[in-house]
Amino acid sequence: MSLFSSSYNWSRHVMPHFDRAPLVCSQRLTLAVMTFLGTFFVYAERVNLSVAILCMVRTGDAFNTTASIGQDTETTGNDVTFNATSTWQVINRTDSNSKQNSSMTSYDLGEFDWDKSEQSFLLSMYFYGYLFTQIPSGWLSSRLGGRRVWGFCQFVSAICTLLTPVSARTHFYLACAVRFLHGFASGLTFPAISALLGRWTPPLDRSKIVAISFSGLPFGMIVSFAISGILCENGFDNGWGSIFYLWGISNLVWVVAWFYLIADSPGEDTRISTREKEYILNSIGKGVVKRKDRIPWVPILTSGPVWAIFIGDFGTAYTGHTLVTSLPMFLKEAFELDIKKTGILSSVPYITEFVTALIVGQVADEVIEKGWLNVKNTRKLFQSISCSGHVIAFCALIQLDSSGRYWAVVLLCVYTSLKSFNRGGCIANNLDIAPSYAGIITGVSYTISTVPGIIAPVIVGALTPNKTLEEWRLVFYVCVGVSVCCSILYVILADGELQSWAATGLDGFNMEKNYFIKDNSLDAMALTGNGKDLDIAKIS
């Protein structure tokens, strides 16, 4: 086996036309929307602790009980008072010559005395749990179907979210255990999604459906950062507790809807139209919807295009996990923003990612459909654009001083907007090269990509012991280096065509008989089909 592409040359053939069922009001759109909402809850529940922990833990500002109450110090110019509702109030005053009005920011008195290393450890426990279930999830989804696997994992995730407040108040290690179990359940998510999409997504809808489905990730962060920041100060159960109750209950409602609306494949769906079912089965091949008992592990793990996906996901994951777990902390420590503004501003970059991702999916499919680029070069181009967002934004962010807080948010918006181009890059790539084994590839890839989730909070904690802007610059230097190296390797190894070992997993598929979907503008795109079943003549 080779670490470079082992794919078939499809360019000799022309593509007959199939009756293309519209995406609007279709069952595959229903799947995309429900997947969007599911990934929304996955990330809302993943990142809510990043905001809540700012309210849960006593900080230096809120915990200094000596010589600061009622005193106006020359060094800070602040009055610090304590009221009967257990809230520290820091009143920022200006000198007599200032024309600005004084302002007041409130900090809830945290319940826990966790130091920086303990906070980083708690945040990373999710990813320790997440690490264990990626590969088993791919195998389970190929055997049982992604609908059952993901639905169950979301149920467990919701219960863990609801148990977070009581576990934190009981013991620090119990909170860590609940967070570990939450990550363990959530690790089933993306392999199960990939297994479902492998059975539901025709090639000409692939980037769009992937973009819609995975847009729940930034949208979850948008809403979670914004609402969690507000609930921290204004919610019930000391503010931070209400964050976990809100997302846990909402996720349980989604679980009920998921099992009611979604089927594992078009053939099992009772709501799908005959036209849409035939379109999906004819365009992606009937063999791909069959569950696979035997997995070609050696070809998968020695395939260059598969390793390109692993590497691309790792680079994206490192920068992503760094921001997901540390963005509120970065804005608070480096730019001295209060908790409410931290939550709101932390959500702004993900608004731009959400909007851009939806556009990217459409553009990527158009580029392929119109024949401007083949699938391989489209994936490489979009992944390279995604990497450029990391480099441009982080290199500029490093140059800011503490007065550039809002410029920092603008640059983070640039980063997330360009990062979303990976929806047309490595995220959709596994469906191109091995749709039958998309869940397996995603499971292995996300296992590897979980490592940044474990080490990123630890690296951030080690590099920022004094919480200064200069220390945070080191964090972003590391992100730039990882991103550039991973992007270069992806461009070298990536492919966009069905791999020979993946085609042998399709019932009745013959590498010497190749059938396609539309016309010769897509001659570089592989379609997995069974010529006898589809009754299409080969065109030489």
Side-chain angles (χ1 to χ4, degrees), residues 231-282:
L231 289 177
C232 245
E233 291 195 343
N234 303 310
F236 61 91
D237 194 19
N238 204 23
W240 64 268
S242 60
I243 297 172
F244 298 99
Y245 298 132
L246 170 67
W247 298 123
I249 293 172
S250 299
N251 196 9
L252 288 176
V253 174
W254 177 89
V255 169
V256 174
W258 173 258
F259 281 113
Y260 179 73
L261 294 172
I262 301 303
D264 276 311
S265 70
E268 299 175 34
D269 198 308
T270 59
R271 296 178 178 83
I272 193 171
S273 68
T274 301
R275 179 186 179 188
E276 184 183 7
K277 181 189 294 185
E278 288 303 311
Y279 168 59
I280 295 172
L281 295 181
N282 288 344

Short mmCIF file of all heavy atoms in Angstrom, two decimals, residues 231-282:
data_model
loop_
_atom_site.label_atom_id
_atom_site.label_comp_id
_atom_site.label_asym_id
_atom_site.label_seq_id
_atom_site.Cartn_x
_atom_site.Cartn_y
_atom_site.Cartn_z
N LEU A 231 -26.32 34.82 31.53
CA LEU A 231 -26.82 34.02 32.65
C LEU A 231 -25.85 34.00 33.81
O LEU A 231 -26.25 33.86 34.96
CB LEU A 231 -27.10 32.59 32.17
CG LEU A 231 -28.29 32.39 31.25
CD1 LEU A 231 -28.40 30.94 30.81
CD2 LEU A 231 -29.59 32.83 31.94
N CYS A 232 -24.56 34.13 33.52
CA CYS A 232 -23.56 34.17 34.59
C CYS A 232 -23.89 35.25 35.61
O CYS A 232 -23.72 35.06 36.81
CB CYS A 232 -22.18 34.44 33.98
SG CYS A 232 -21.02 33.08 34.17
N GLU A 233 -24.35 36.38 35.13
CA GLU A 233 -24.65 37.51 36.02
C GLU A 233 -26.11 37.58 36.42
O GLU A 233 -26.44 38.05 37.51
CB GLU A 233 -24.24 38.82 35.34
CG GLU A 233 -22.73 38.97 35.17
CD GLU A 233 -22.34 40.40 34.85
OE1 GLU A 233 -23.23 41.18 34.44
OE2 GLU A 233 -21.16 40.73 35.02
N ASN A 234 -27.01 37.12 35.54
CA ASN A 234 -28.43 37.35 35.77
C ASN A 234 -29.26 36.09 35.95
O ASN A 234 -30.47 36.17 36.19
CB ASN A 234 -29.02 38.16 34.60
CG ASN A 234 -28.29 39.48 34.40
OD1 ASN A 234 -28.09 40.23 35.34
ND2 ASN A 234 -27.87 39.74 33.17
N GLY A 235 -28.66 34.91 35.82
CA GLY A 235 -29.43 33.68 35.90
C GLY A 235 -29.70 33.24 37.33
O GLY A 235 -29.22 33.84 38.29
N PHE A 236 -30.46 32.16 37.46
CA PHE A 236 -30.74 31.61 38.79
C PHE A 236 -29.65 30.64 39.19
O PHE A 236 -28.74 30.35 38.42
CB PHE A 236 -32.12 30.92 38.78
CG PHE A 236 -32.25 29.77 37.82
CD1 PHE A 236 -31.95 28.48 38.21
CD2 PHE A 236 -32.67 29.99 36.51
CE1 PHE A 236 -32.05 27.42 37.33
CE2 PHE A 236 -32.79 28.94 35.62
CZ PHE A 236 -32.48 27.65 36.02
N ASP A 237 -29.74 30.09 40.39
CA ASP A 237 -28.74 29.17 40.93
C ASP A 237 -27.35 29.78 40.87
O ASP A 237 -26.40 29.18 40.35
CB ASP A 237 -28.80 27.84 40.19
CG ASP A 237 -28.04 26.73 40.93
OD1 ASP A 237 -27.81 26.88 42.14
OD2 ASP A 237 -27.68 25.73 40.28
N ASN A 238 -27.24 30.98 41.41
CA ASN A 238 -25.97 31.73 41.43
C ASN A 238 -25.47 32.06 40.03
O ASN A 238 -24.28 32.26 39.81
CB ASN A 238 -24.89 30.99 42.21
CG ASN A 238 -23.82 31.95 42.73
OD1 ASN A 238 -24.06 33.15 42.90
ND2 ASN A 238 -22.63 31.43 42.99
N GLY A 239 -26.36 32.11 39.08
CA GLY A 239 -26.01 32.51 37.72
C GLY A 239 -25.49 31.37 36.89
O GLY A 239 -26.14 30.91 35.94
N TRP A 240 -24.32 30.84 37.23
CA TRP A 240 -23.68 29.84 36.39
C TRP A 240 -24.44 28.53 36.34
O TRP A 240 -24.42 27.82 35.32
CB TRP A 240 -22.24 29.60 36.84
CG TRP A 240 -22.08 29.03 38.22
CD1 TRP A 240 -21.91 29.71 39.38
CD2 TRP A 240 -22.08 27.64 38.57
NE1 TRP A 240 -21.79 28.85 40.44
CE2 TRP A 240 -21.90 27.56 39.96
CE3 TRP A 240 -22.21 26.46 37.84
CZ2 TRP A 240 -21.85 26.35 40.65
CZ3 TRP A 240 -22.17 25.24 38.51
CH2 TRP A 240 -21.99 25.20 39.91
N GLY A 241 -25.16 28.18 37.41
CA GLY A 241 -25.91 26.92 37.40
C GLY A 241 -26.98 26.88 36.34
O GLY A 241 -27.24 25.84 35.72
N SER A 242 -27.62 28.03 36.08
CA SER A 242 -28.70 28.09 35.10
C SER A 242 -28.21 27.79 33.68
O SER A 242 -28.98 27.35 32.83
CB SER A 242 -29.38 29.45 35.15
OG SER A 242 -28.46 30.50 34.85
N ILE A 243 -26.93 28.03 33.42
CA ILE A 243 -26.36 27.75 32.09
C ILE A 243 -26.52 26.26 31.76
O ILE A 243 -26.97 25.90 30.67
CB ILE A 243 -24.87 28.14 32.06
CG1 ILE A 243 -24.71 29.64 32.27
CG2 ILE A 243 -24.21 27.70 30.77
CD1 ILE A 243 -23.26 30.08 32.45
N PHE A 244 -26.19 25.41 32.70
CA PHE A 244 -26.21 23.98 32.44
C PHE A 244 -27.64 23.44 32.39
O PHE A 244 -27.92 22.53 31.60
CB PHE A 244 -25.40 23.26 33.52
CG PHE A 244 -23.96 23.68 33.54
CD1 PHE A 244 -23.50 24.62 34.46
CD2 PHE A 244 -23.05 23.17 32.63
CE1 PHE A 244 -22.18 25.02 34.48
CE2 PHE A 244 -21.73 23.57 32.63
CZ PHE A 244 -21.29 24.49 33.56
N TYR A 245 -28.54 23.99 33.19
CA TYR A 245 -29.92 23.53 33.14
C TYR A 245 -30.58 23.90 31.81
O TYR A 245 -31.34 23.11 31.24
CB TYR A 245 -30.72 24.14 34.30
CG TYR A 245 -30.20 23.73 35.66
CD1 TYR A 245 -29.97 24.67 36.66
CD2 TYR A 245 -29.91 22.40 35.96
CE1 TYR A 245 -29.47 24.31 37.91
CE2 TYR A 245 -29.41 22.01 37.20
CZ TYR A 245 -29.20 22.98 38.16
OH TYR A 245 -28.71 22.62 39.39
N LEU A 246 -30.30 25.08 31.31
CA LEU A 246 -30.89 25.52 30.03
C LEU A 246 -30.50 24.58 28.90
O LEU A 246 -31.35 24.08 28.16
CB LEU A 246 -30.43 26.95 29.71
CG LEU A 246 -30.77 27.44 28.30
CD1 LEU A 246 -32.27 27.59 28.14
CD2 LEU A 246 -30.07 28.77 28.01
N TRP A 247 -29.19 24.32 28.75
CA TRP A 247 -28.74 23.51 27.61
C TRP A 247 -29.08 22.04 27.78
O TRP A 247 -29.39 21.35 26.80
CB TRP A 247 -27.23 23.70 27.41
CG TRP A 247 -26.86 25.10 27.08
CD1 TRP A 247 -26.00 25.91 27.75
CD2 TRP A 247 -27.36 25.89 25.99
NE1 TRP A 247 -25.92 27.15 27.16
CE2 TRP A 247 -26.75 27.16 26.08
CE3 TRP A 247 -28.27 25.65 24.96
CZ2 TRP A 247 -27.03 28.17 25.16
CZ3 TRP A 247 -28.54 26.65 24.05
CH2 TRP A 247 -27.92 27.90 24.17
N GLY A 248 -29.05 21.54 29.00
CA GLY A 248 -29.38 20.13 29.21
C GLY A 248 -30.82 19.81 28.85
O GLY A 248 -31.10 18.83 28.14
N ILE A 249 -31.76 20.65 29.30
CA ILE A 249 -33.19 20.41 29.00
C ILE A 249 -33.46 20.59 27.52
O ILE A 249 -34.20 19.80 26.90
CB ILE A 249 -34.06 21.37 29.84
CG1 ILE A 249 -33.95 21.00 31.33
CG2 ILE A 249 -35.51 21.31 29.39
CD1 ILE A 249 -34.61 21.98 32.26
N SER A 250 -32.87 21.60 26.90
CA SER A 250 -33.08 21.84 25.47
C SER A 250 -32.57 20.66 24.63
O SER A 250 -33.20 20.27 23.64
CB SER A 250 -32.36 23.12 25.03
OG SER A 250 -32.86 24.24 25.73
N ASN A 251 -31.47 20.09 25.03
CA ASN A 251 -30.91 18.96 24.30
C ASN A 251 -31.81 17.73 24.40
O ASN A 251 -31.95 16.97 23.43
CB ASN A 251 -29.52 18.63 24.84
CG ASN A 251 -28.72 17.74 23.88
OD1 ASN A 251 -29.12 17.49 22.75
ND2 ASN A 251 -27.59 17.27 24.35
N LEU A 252 -32.45 17.53 25.54
CA LEU A 252 -33.38 16.40 25.67
C LEU A 252 -34.56 16.53 24.71
O LEU A 252 -35.03 15.53 24.15
CB LEU A 252 -33.88 16.31 27.12
CG LEU A 252 -32.87 15.82 28.16
CD1 LEU A 252 -33.49 15.87 29.55
CD2 LEU A 252 -32.40 14.40 27.84
N VAL A 253 -35.03 17.75 24.50
CA VAL A 253 -36.11 17.98 23.53
C VAL A 253 -35.65 17.59 22.12
O VAL A 253 -36.38 16.96 21.35
CB VAL A 253 -36.57 19.45 23.56
CG1 VAL A 253 -37.59 19.73 22.46
CG2 VAL A 253 -37.17 19.79 24.93
N TRP A 254 -34.40 17.96 21.78
CA TRP A 254 -33.86 17.61 20.47
C TRP A 254 -33.80 16.09 20.29
O TRP A 254 -34.08 15.57 19.20
CB TRP A 254 -32.47 18.20 20.29
CG TRP A 254 -31.82 17.81 19.00
CD1 TRP A 254 -31.91 18.45 17.80
CD2 TRP A 254 -31.00 16.65 18.77
NE1 TRP A 254 -31.20 17.78 16.83
CE2 TRP A 254 -30.64 16.66 17.40
CE3 TRP A 254 -30.55 15.61 19.57
CZ2 TRP A 254 -29.83 15.67 16.83
CZ3 TRP A 254 -29.76 14.62 19.01
CH2 TRP A 254 -29.41 14.65 17.66
N VAL A 255 -33.41 15.36 21.33
CA VAL A 255 -33.29 13.91 21.23
C VAL A 255 -34.62 13.28 20.82
O VAL A 255 -34.67 12.39 19.95
CB VAL A 255 -32.80 13.32 22.57
CG1 VAL A 255 -32.92 11.79 22.57
CG2 VAL A 255 -31.35 13.73 22.84
N VAL A 256 -35.70 13.74 21.42
CA VAL A 256 -37.03 13.22 21.08
C VAL A 256 -37.34 13.48 19.60
O VAL A 256 -37.79 12.58 18.87
CB VAL A 256 -38.11 13.85 21.98
CG1 VAL A 256 -39.50 13.42 21.53
CG2 VAL A 256 -37.89 13.47 23.43
N ALA A 257 -37.10 14.71 19.13
CA ALA A 257 -37.36 15.06 17.73
C ALA A 257 -36.48 14.25 16.78
O ALA A 257 -36.92 13.84 15.70
CB ALA A 257 -37.14 16.56 17.52
N TRP A 258 -35.23 14.01 17.16
CA TRP A 258 -34.30 13.27 16.32
C TRP A 258 -34.81 11.85 16.03
O TRP A 258 -34.85 11.41 14.89
CB TRP A 258 -32.94 13.21 17.01
CG TRP A 258 -31.92 12.35 16.36
CD1 TRP A 258 -31.53 11.10 16.74
CD2 TRP A 258 -31.12 12.66 15.20
NE1 TRP A 258 -30.54 10.61 15.91
CE2 TRP A 258 -30.28 11.55 14.95
CE3 TRP A 258 -31.04 13.77 14.36
CZ2 TRP A 258 -29.38 11.52 13.89
CZ3 TRP A 258 -30.13 13.74 13.31
CH2 TRP A 258 -29.32 12.63 13.08
N PHE A 259 -35.21 11.14 17.07
CA PHE A 259 -35.68 9.77 16.88
C PHE A 259 -36.99 9.72 16.10
O PHE A 259 -37.27 8.73 15.41
CB PHE A 259 -35.83 9.07 18.23
CG PHE A 259 -34.53 8.58 18.80
CD1 PHE A 259 -33.99 9.14 19.95
CD2 PHE A 259 -33.82 7.56 18.17
CE1 PHE A 259 -32.78 8.69 20.47
CE2 PHE A 259 -32.61 7.10 18.68
CZ PHE A 259 -32.09 7.67 19.83
N TYR A 260 -37.78 10.77 16.19
CA TYR A 260 -39.06 10.81 15.47
C TYR A 260 -38.89 11.11 13.99
O TYR A 260 -39.58 10.53 13.14
CB TYR A 260 -39.98 11.86 16.11
CG TYR A 260 -41.31 11.98 15.42
CD1 TYR A 260 -42.29 11.00 15.56
CD2 TYR A 260 -41.60 13.10 14.62
CE1 TYR A 260 -43.52 11.11 14.92
CE2 TYR A 260 -42.83 13.22 13.99
CZ TYR A 260 -43.78 12.23 14.14
OH TYR A 260 -44.98 12.34 13.50
N LEU A 261 -37.95 11.98 13.63
CA LEU A 261 -37.86 12.49 12.26
C LEU A 261 -36.83 11.81 11.36
O LEU A 261 -36.95 11.87 10.14
CB LEU A 261 -37.54 14.00 12.30
CG LEU A 261 -38.60 14.92 12.89
CD1 LEU A 261 -38.04 16.34 13.03
CD2 LEU A 261 -39.84 14.92 12.02
N ILE A 262 -35.81 11.17 11.94
CA ILE A 262 -34.64 10.75 11.16
C ILE A 262 -34.58 9.23 11.02
O ILE A 262 -34.89 8.49 11.96
CB ILE A 262 -33.35 11.27 11.81
CG1 ILE A 262 -33.38 12.80 11.89
CG2 ILE A 262 -32.12 10.81 11.03
CD1 ILE A 262 -33.58 13.50 10.56
N ALA A 263 -34.16 8.77 9.84
CA ALA A 263 -33.90 7.35 9.57
C ALA A 263 -32.43 7.18 9.20
O ALA A 263 -31.76 8.13 8.79
CB ALA A 263 -34.80 6.85 8.45
N ASP A 264 -31.93 5.95 9.30
CA ASP A 264 -30.53 5.69 9.04
C ASP A 264 -30.18 5.77 7.56
O ASP A 264 -29.04 6.06 7.21
CB ASP A 264 -30.13 4.30 9.57
CG ASP A 264 -29.79 4.33 11.04
OD1 ASP A 264 -29.00 5.20 11.44
OD2 ASP A 264 -30.33 3.51 11.80
N SER A 265 -31.12 5.51 6.68
CA SER A 265 -30.83 5.54 5.24
C SER A 265 -32.11 5.88 4.49
O SER A 265 -33.22 5.76 5.03
CB SER A 265 -30.30 4.18 4.78
OG SER A 265 -31.33 3.21 4.82
N PRO A 266 -31.99 6.31 3.22
CA PRO A 266 -33.19 6.60 2.43
C PRO A 266 -34.13 5.40 2.32
O PRO A 266 -35.35 5.56 2.32
CB PRO A 266 -32.61 6.97 1.06
CG PRO A 266 -31.24 7.45 1.34
CD PRO A 266 -30.75 6.63 2.49
N GLY A 267 -33.56 4.18 2.25
CA GLY A 267 -34.41 3.00 2.13
C GLY A 267 -35.24 2.72 3.36
O GLY A 267 -36.28 2.05 3.27
N GLU A 268 -34.82 3.22 4.53
CA GLU A 268 -35.54 2.99 5.77
C GLU A 268 -36.47 4.14 6.14
O GLU A 268 -37.23 4.04 7.11
CB GLU A 268 -34.55 2.76 6.91
CG GLU A 268 -33.65 1.56 6.72
CD GLU A 268 -32.60 1.45 7.81
OE1 GLU A 268 -32.90 1.82 8.96
OE2 GLU A 268 -31.48 1.01 7.51
N ASP A 269 -36.43 5.22 5.39
CA ASP A 269 -37.22 6.42 5.71
C ASP A 269 -38.63 6.28 5.16
O ASP A 269 -38.82 6.02 3.97
CB ASP A 269 -36.55 7.66 5.13
CG ASP A 269 -37.04 8.94 5.77
OD1 ASP A 269 -38.27 9.14 5.82
OD2 ASP A 269 -36.20 9.73 6.23
N THR A 270 -39.63 6.46 6.02
CA THR A 270 -41.03 6.34 5.59
C THR A 270 -41.60 7.65 5.07
O THR A 270 -42.70 7.66 4.51
CB THR A 270 -41.90 5.85 6.77
OG1 THR A 270 -41.78 6.79 7.86
CG2 THR A 270 -41.45 4.48 7.24
N ARG A 271 -40.88 8.75 5.23
CA ARG A 271 -41.38 10.06 4.79
C ARG A 271 -40.80 10.50 3.45
O ARG A 271 -41.28 11.46 2.85
CB ARG A 271 -41.05 11.13 5.84
CG ARG A 271 -41.73 10.93 7.18
CD ARG A 271 -41.31 12.02 8.17
NE ARG A 271 -41.98 11.87 9.43
CZ ARG A 271 -41.59 11.04 10.39
NH1 ARG A 271 -40.51 10.29 10.20
NH2 ARG A 271 -42.28 10.94 11.51
N ILE A 272 -39.78 9.85 2.98
CA ILE A 272 -39.08 10.29 1.78
C ILE A 272 -39.92 10.00 0.53
O ILE A 272 -40.61 8.98 0.46
CB ILE A 272 -37.70 9.61 1.69
CG1 ILE A 272 -36.83 10.26 0.63
CG2 ILE A 272 -37.85 8.11 1.42
CD1 ILE A 272 -35.39 9.77 0.64
N SER A 273 -39.85 10.87 -0.45
CA SER A 273 -40.56 10.66 -1.72
C SER A 273 -39.81 9.62 -2.56
O SER A 273 -38.60 9.43 -2.41
CB SER A 273 -40.68 11.97 -2.49
OG SER A 273 -39.40 12.40 -2.94
N THR A 274 -40.54 8.97 -3.46
CA THR A 274 -39.91 7.99 -4.33
C THR A 274 -38.85 8.63 -5.21
O THR A 274 -37.77 8.06 -5.44
CB THR A 274 -40.98 7.32 -5.22
OG1 THR A 274 -41.96 6.69 -4.38
CG2 THR A 274 -40.35 6.28 -6.14
N ARG A 275 -39.13 9.85 -5.70
CA ARG A 275 -38.18 10.55 -6.55
C ARG A 275 -36.87 10.82 -5.82
O ARG A 275 -35.78 10.58 -6.35
CB ARG A 275 -38.80 11.86 -7.03
CG ARG A 275 -37.88 12.69 -7.92
CD ARG A 275 -38.52 14.03 -8.23
NE ARG A 275 -37.64 14.86 -9.06
CZ ARG A 275 -37.89 16.14 -9.35
NH1 ARG A 275 -38.98 16.73 -8.88
NH2 ARG A 275 -37.04 16.83 -10.09
N GLU A 276 -36.96 11.30 -4.58
CA GLU A 276 -35.74 11.61 -3.83
C GLU A 276 -34.99 10.33 -3.47
O GLU A 276 -33.76 10.29 -3.56
CB GLU A 276 -36.07 12.38 -2.55
CG GLU A 276 -34.82 12.79 -1.78
CD GLU A 276 -35.12 13.49 -0.47
OE1 GLU A 276 -36.30 13.55 -0.06
OE2 GLU A 276 -34.15 13.98 0.15
N LYS A 277 -35.71 9.29 -3.11
CA LYS A 277 -35.05 8.03 -2.76
C LYS A 277 -34.26 7.49 -3.95
O LYS A 277 -33.09 7.09 -3.81
CB LYS A 277 -36.08 7.00 -2.30
CG LYS A 277 -35.46 5.67 -1.89
CD LYS A 277 -36.51 4.60 -1.65
CE LYS A 277 -37.37 4.94 -0.45
NZ LYS A 277 -38.32 3.84 -0.14
N GLU A 278 -34.89 7.48 -5.13
CA GLU A 278 -34.21 6.97 -6.31
C GLU A 278 -33.01 7.84 -6.69
O GLU A 278 -31.97 7.34 -7.11
CB GLU A 278 -35.19 6.88 -7.48
CG GLU A 278 -36.20 5.76 -7.35
CD GLU A 278 -35.53 4.41 -7.20
OE1 GLU A 278 -34.62 4.10 -8.00
OE2 GLU A 278 -35.88 3.67 -6.26
N TYR A 279 -33.18 9.16 -6.53
CA TYR A 279 -32.06 10.06 -6.84
C TYR A 279 -30.85 9.78 -5.94
O TYR A 279 -29.72 9.68 -6.42
CB TYR A 279 -32.50 11.52 -6.68
CG TYR A 279 -31.37 12.51 -6.70
CD1 TYR A 279 -30.51 12.61 -7.78
CD2 TYR A 279 -31.14 13.34 -5.60
CE1 TYR A 279 -29.46 13.51 -7.79
CE2 TYR A 279 -30.09 14.25 -5.59
CZ TYR A 279 -29.25 14.33 -6.69
OH TYR A 279 -28.21 15.22 -6.70
N ILE A 280 -31.09 9.63 -4.65
CA ILE A 280 -29.98 9.37 -3.72
C ILE A 280 -29.34 8.01 -3.99
O ILE A 280 -28.12 7.90 -4.11
CB ILE A 280 -30.48 9.45 -2.26
CG1 ILE A 280 -30.95 10.86 -1.92
CG2 ILE A 280 -29.38 9.02 -1.29
CD1 ILE A 280 -31.63 10.98 -0.57
N LEU A 281 -30.17 6.98 -4.11
CA LEU A 281 -29.63 5.65 -4.30
C LEU A 281 -28.90 5.51 -5.64
O LEU A 281 -27.86 4.86 -5.73
CB LEU A 281 -30.76 4.61 -4.22
CG LEU A 281 -31.45 4.47 -2.86
CD1 LEU A 281 -32.53 3.40 -2.91
CD2 LEU A 281 -30.45 4.15 -1.76
N ASN A 282 -29.42 6.13 -6.68
CA ASN A 282 -28.78 6.05 -7.99
C ASN A 282 -27.47 6.83 -8.06
O ASN A 282 -26.52 6.42 -8.72
CB ASN A 282 -29.72 6.56 -9.08
CG ASN A 282 -30.88 5.60 -9.34
OD1 ASN A 282 -30.84 4.45 -8.94
ND2 ASN A 282 -31.91 6.09 -10.01
#
